[in-house]
Amino acid sequence: MTAAERIVITALWLVAALVFAALYGPALAVVTTSFFDLKGQSIDWSSFSLHWYAGLTDNPEMLAALGHTLLVAAAAVLLALVLALGLAWYMKTGTRRGRPFVEFVIFLPFVLPGIITGISLLVAFRELGIERSLVTVTIGHAVLVLAILYRMVSVRLDSLETSQIEASLDLGATGLQTFLFVVLPQLRSAIVTGALLAFTLSFDETLVTFFLVGGDATLPIRLWAMMRVGFTPEVNALVALVLLATMTLAVLGALSLKDSMAAKR
């Protein structure tokens, strides 16, 4: 390795370190302050405790917002998963009529800026006379994460041997039985991976939620509202727990995706 190559590699490592510091430094600061007290603008390193985590039980509004977020994310993933399975199965075994148009409709809300998707859904619900609530937020999130689940499921379906489906039908199984007992078990890894990624995306979604939420705020909206008056110390503890849960889901999704890729080989 020449001296010039060493300099270039060192510079790239420095740039990477700066990027990681900019991305994860604030998160690390939040986690750190969830264990220590602040005195003015400095951290009191001798005050390590878990009392801010215990104090979460005294903040019912924050816990309610967290519950709303978990409920919306779970319902949105379930709704999107049912739609993704149905559409992907139809595209695999049906006439495939209108497939480019259907996939365009599925992927468009995901690739558009969140503010455009949120305003479009808001206008649609108003025209239909539907009041904003957690239901509209759930539908909005389902529309948003449908692209992820559909893509994961359809790619896995396309990799399956058509002969397995044909053999099942030739042996007298119905289309539903073929799907449940032949196809669905082979989609498990793709479903788990897609569901984890979709849940994480729905949990953190703010822009679409902002336009569709009613009186019951989700956690991102609650935190956004608190920015005007400042965060309470318990928020740092809650954010630390959310970061831990999000990272866990991301790792599980990556491991599941790795297993799915290995299964294809």
Side-chain angles (χ1 to χ4, degrees), residues 106 109-112 114 117 121 139-148 201-202 205 208:
I106 291 174
F110 185 76
V111 299
L112 283 175
T117 302
L121 289 170
I139 295 173
H141 285 204
V143 170
L144 192 66
V145 303
L146 176 60
I148 296 176
L201 179 63
S202 174
E205 176 54 44
V208 172

Side-chain angles (χ1 to χ4, degrees), residues 35-195:
F35 295 103
F36 299 93
D37 294 331
L38 293 177
K39 289 186 176 180
Q41 298 296 325
S42 60
I43 298 176
D44 182 7
W45 297 105
S46 63
S47 61
F48 178 84
S49 68
L50 299 176
H51 65 275
W52 296 130
Y53 290 87
L56 285 173
T57 57
D58 298 327
N59 197 330
E61 293 182 352
M62 189 65 65
L63 293 179
L66 177 62
H68 295 156
T69 301
L70 294 173
L71 177 62
V72 167
V77 170
L78 180 60
L79 176 59
L81 181 59
V82 172
L83 293 174
L85 287 172
L87 291 170
W89 179 243
Y90 172 76
M91 295 302 175
K92 176 71 175 179
T93 61
T95 60
R96 299 191 178 190
R97 291 180 180 177
R99 178 169 186 171
F101 174 76
V102 171
E103 293 188 342
F104 173 79
V105 172
I106 291 174
F107 290 110
L108 185 61
F110 185 76
V111 299
L112 283 175
I115 189 171
I116 302 299
T117 302
I119 292 176
S120 300
L121 289 170
L122 175 61
V123 172
F125 285 127
R126 282 188 175 179
E127 292 296 323
L128 294 173
I130 301 176
E131 295 294 331
R132 292 186 300 171
S133 64
L134 291 181
V135 175
T136 58
V137 175
T138 300
I139 295 173
H141 285 204
V143 170
L144 192 66
V145 303
L146 176 60
I148 296 176
L149 290 165
Y150 174 79
R151 181 62 178 172
M152 298 293 295
V153 172
S154 62
V155 168
R156 187 71 183 97
L157 267 178
D158 290 339
S159 67
L160 297 182
E161 294 291 340
T162 308
S163 58
Q164 299 179 22
I165 299 174
E166 295 174 347
S168 177
L169 296 174
D170 290 341
L171 291 173
T174 64
L176 180 60
Q177 290 173 329
T178 299
F179 178 77
L180 292 177
F181 299 109
V182 178
V183 177
L184 192 59
Q186 301 185 64
L187 298 179
R188 187 177 295 112
S189 60
I191 291 174
V192 171
T193 303

